[in-house]
Amino acid sequence: MADKLEKDEKARIAAQVKRLGPEGLKSVAKLLEKAKAEHDKPIPDEVIKAFPVPDVKSISWIPVDSFHEKGKVNAARESKLRKHIEGDAVSLPFFIGFDHVKVRETLSTAMISPSDP
């Protein structure tokens, strides 16, 4: 697939060079340099100052409910997550930390170490 993409891109570039010709290439090169110069200009202070700076207290944090399996680490405060985990009759022979966040995405991470803490 990568070879096909590379081949297609080279063909696209060759066709564009042919279509533009020497004068067209010079014209788009000038246009590119003009755009780069415009991009490199510093942002005027009045533009930056126009953005309101919110009060730090207005920043809302994403609530995370964390719990470490009982008996392994100091247990977390009372929470639905803790009650759910402790309600499971199975005791695992290894440490597990749980974090519960109400989001639409899911991330699962497993870190395994052969050492005994």
Side-chain angles (χ1 to χ4, degrees), residues 43-86:
I43 300 170
D45 284 344
E46 56 271 9
V47 172
I48 293 175
K49 290 177 182 175
F51 286 92
V53 178
D55 188 310
V56 175
K57 293 176 184 174
S58 71
I59 299 171
S60 60
W61 298 98
I62 298 170
V64 178
D65 192 4
S66 297
F67 177 71
H68 298 138
E69 188 187 5
K70 61 183 176 183
K72 305 291 182 183
V73 174
N74 234 350
R77 69 194 189 300
E78 283 298 321
S79 69
K80 288 181 183 180
L81 177 63
R82 179 180 180 174
K83 288 177 185 175
H84 181 76
I85 301 301
E86 288 181 341

